[in-house]
Amino acid sequence: MDKKSLTDDLKRLRAPQDFFPEELPEPTPLEELTEEELAPFPGGVLPEVLEAFLKPFSERLGVRYDVPAMTALGLASGLLAGRYKVKPDPLNPAWGEGTNLWVAIIAPTGTKKSAVLNTLAEPLYELEQAFHEEFEAKRRIWELEREAWKAKKPEERGPEPEEPKPWRVVVEDTTKEALVRVLQVNRGLVAVFDELKGLFASWQRVDRAADRAFWLKAYSGGYHREDRMSRETSPLREPALAVVGFVQPGPFRQIVLKALEEGEEADGLLQRFILVQGGLTAWPEERPKVESQAYHAYQVFMKALWREPQAPPVALTFDPEAQKLWYEWEDEVERELRNEDLPEAWRGYLGKRLGVTARLAGVLSVLWGEKGVISEDSLLRAISLVEWAEAHAKRVWRRARIGDVSTLTRVASKLLERARQGGLPKEITARWLAKQGFAGVETSREASKVLSALEREGWLLRVPNPRTATWALNPRLLTKAQA
């Protein structure tokens, strides 16, 4: 093809298109536009022993499987917290990620949150009770041994009997000071909250800024020491605290709006959470059954994850195939982070994507019984979870910012309003839509999905353009509006 022919073709493609009424699709009524369904929790991510209980359990309660699946995964991460360290990059040996996850389920009242949390955390509470009874028995023996030791002459005493350590698994309502003391012995824990609102509220208080800073450190690990006049303190290295809890949409909306502001609330704390949009499913005509054997197997599996925190953390590295996949994933993430259209709050969320991927890969590797080396399969499972979770995060953040109205409805309304006012361009692109910020759509990637969805609903028509995907408003819409 010669240069002149190519130029003529480009001019023809770029020229305004004539649409004939009989060829135009019938647009879906505005009130019928709805948000795209969230993808289901990825299959095959959790071991069969967990799925065999969690799936029928979610069906029996009539809740989305996402909710018990991520709750169980968050609780499991707390049992592993402080015991493992993921080393994702041999080119950067200083980089390590813990296996503690922060999971927040956003769900209104009546969505069975207490039933989910209490049932799934039961193995951890049983461990707590067993550890407490064991500690009390050892402490009574220690007190007798210490009294006998003190009764001896100093030259006959020998080493003082060592006080037993109280193993812990779960914390709930606790102060920072008490949490520090528990972590000094246990290194890793899971904080369980039936309602996360109180924890977030405490983080927002000016006089609790030190608490907020400590929780951030308890997610990432590091060094912590508190100096008090009243008692001696010992340093706390690499604290690892998992968080699992529920929060209602109303209070969470205020939390999100605070995190989107500049200042102390924009420190990335909220972006560390894996957010899950909870909800009910259709109530079945026949009640599903949860096998007692499946529940017992779940309890046994969860309890077996815990081990004493005395040994150094086990380093988890990728096998060769997983390492190759990791670098491909890293390239994709880093390129997206450099997109100039990204809003800063979402850039902060994506900035945690690699770390969350490594943490999920480490947790899943242990759950699947891999011995210190993370397989390509476990990394693939982690990546699928990260991609699934991002759809939930976008839904949760958007609903918190603009309310519980369909994104398509809001964008469609804005496009129609602009068209009536004469302010809508003839050619609509994802980049243009992202710059408008309609309905919280602020990236070209999100905008492209919305525009494609509106095309499927007959609101937009695809316009040939060799450079970028381009649409035009369906003229039927303005004709109806004027009529």
Side-chain angles (χ1 to χ4, degrees), residues 72-246:
L73 194 56
L75 293 171
S77 80
L79 291 167
L80 306 178
R83 279 71 169 170
Y84 299 89
K85 197 79 171 178
V86 182
K87 308 292 285 186
D89 189 0
L91 301 177
N92 182 11
W95 183 14
E97 293 285 345
T99 52
N100 50 306
L101 304 173
W102 286 9
V103 177
I105 313 292
I106 294 80
T109 56
T111 49
K112 316 291 182 68
K113 58 181 183 180
S114 295
V116 170
L117 195 56
N118 292 338
T119 300
L120 299 186
E122 182 60 25
L124 283 70
Y125 294 135
E126 289 183 1
L127 282 175
E128 278 276 308
Q129 182 62 31
F131 291 154
H132 174 71
E133 293 173 0
E134 181 184 10
F135 171 70
E136 288 299 319
K138 288 182 177 180
R139 184 174 178 82
R140 286 193 293 270
I141 295 173
W142 169 76
E143 288 174 345
L144 293 173
E145 291 178 342
R146 191 165 181 271
E147 287 301 317
W149 175 82
K150 289 169 65 176
K152 293 180 180 180
K153 296 178 180 179
E155 63 272 14
E156 298 176 353
R157 284 177 180 172
E160 182 177 358
E162 185 176 352
E163 185 176 3
K165 297 177 180 179
W167 300 134
R168 294 288 305 277
V169 179
V170 178
V171 292
E172 293 176 301
D173 185 13
T174 180
T175 64
K176 176 177 71 84
E177 290 74 21
L179 188 56
V180 169
R181 291 195 297 272
V182 176
L183 282 169
Q184 282 174 334
V185 175
N186 293 272
R187 194 189 300 146
L189 299 164
V190 56
V192 177
F193 295 91
D194 188 63
E195 180 54 69
L196 277 166
K197 179 177 67 174
L199 178 64
F200 280 110
S202 71
W203 285 340
Q204 292 170 355
R205 287 172 47 181
V206 175
D207 62 335
R208 302 291 286 274
D211 291 26
R212 185 183 182 99
F214 175 76
W215 281 79
L216 284 168
K217 192 175 293 183
Y219 176 86
S220 304
Y223 178 87
H224 179 81
R225 180 162 187 163
E226 294 187 341
D227 294 314
R228 295 286 187 268
M229 294 291 291
S230 58
R231 66 176 188 272
E232 294 184 2
T233 59
S234 57
L236 176 60
R237 295 191 61 85
E238 300 290 335
L241 187 62
V243 178
V244 179
F246 287 72

Side-chain angles (χ1 to χ4, degrees), residues 190-371:
V190 56
V192 177
F193 295 91
D194 188 63
E195 180 54 69
L196 277 166
K197 179 177 67 174
L199 178 64
F200 280 110
S202 71
W203 285 340
Q204 292 170 355
R205 287 172 47 181
V206 175
D207 62 335
R208 302 291 286 274
D211 291 26
R212 185 183 182 99
F214 175 76
W215 281 79
L216 284 168
K217 192 175 293 183
Y219 176 86
S220 304
Y223 178 87
H224 179 81
R225 180 162 187 163
E226 294 187 341
D227 294 314
R228 295 286 187 268
M229 294 291 291
S230 58
R231 66 176 188 272
E232 294 184 2
T233 59
S234 57
L236 176 60
R237 295 191 61 85
E238 300 290 335
L241 187 62
V243 178
V244 179
F246 287 72
V247 61
Q248 295 184 33
F252 190 72
R253 183 172 188 270
Q254 301 305 316
I255 295 165
V256 171
L257 293 177
K258 281 282 188 182
L260 294 172
E261 297 174 357
E262 297 295 329
E264 292 182 0
E265 302 295 337
D267 57 5
L269 186 147
L270 181 61
Q271 286 89 338
R272 286 167 166 78
F273 277 89
I274 298 174
L275 305 176
V276 182
Q277 179 66 60
L280 299 175
T281 58
W283 185 250
E285 293 183 5
E286 295 185 7
R287 287 177 171 80
K289 181 180 180 181
V290 181
E291 298 289 346
S292 58
Q293 298 93 326
Y295 181 40
H296 177 69
Y298 165 80
Q299 292 178 306
V300 171
F301 182 88
M302 293 291 281
K303 291 177 184 177
L305 294 176
W306 187 88
R307 65 185 182 89
E308 291 189 6
Q310 296 169 320
V314 175
L316 302 177
T317 58
F318 293 125
D319 70 18
E321 290 303 314
Q323 193 67 63
K324 180 181 178 182
L325 175 62
W326 173 265
Y327 286 139
E328 293 172 359
W329 176 242
E330 183 183 42
D331 290 342
E332 180 180 333
V333 172
E334 292 294 343
R335 280 193 292 266
E336 187 171 350
L337 273 172
R338 284 156 179 76
N339 179 357
E340 295 180 357
D341 294 335
L342 282 179
E344 285 307 308
W346 190 250
R347 191 187 305 278
Y349 182 88
L350 293 183
K352 306 293 186 294
R353 186 195 269 175
L354 288 173
V356 169
T357 305
R359 287 167 181 259
L360 284 168
V363 172
L364 292 171
S365 179
V366 176
L367 296 187
W368 281 88
E370 296 172 356
K371 305 297 183 182

Side-chain angles (χ1 to χ4, degrees), residues 21-73:
E22 63 272 13
E23 299 175 352
L24 298 177
E26 185 67 26
T28 300
L30 181 65
E31 62 274 11
E32 295 181 15
L33 294 175
T34 57
E35 287 183 304
E36 185 178 351
E37 281 293 319
L38 289 168
F41 190 84
V45 166
L46 300 180
E48 174 61 25
V49 66
L50 297 183
E51 288 192 340
F53 166 66
L54 296 173
K55 284 187 175 180
F57 178 63
S58 67
E59 292 170 0
R60 182 65 188 87
L61 293 182
V63 299
R64 289 178 57 99
Y65 175 56
D66 317 56
V67 175
M70 273 311 304
T71 300
L73 194 56

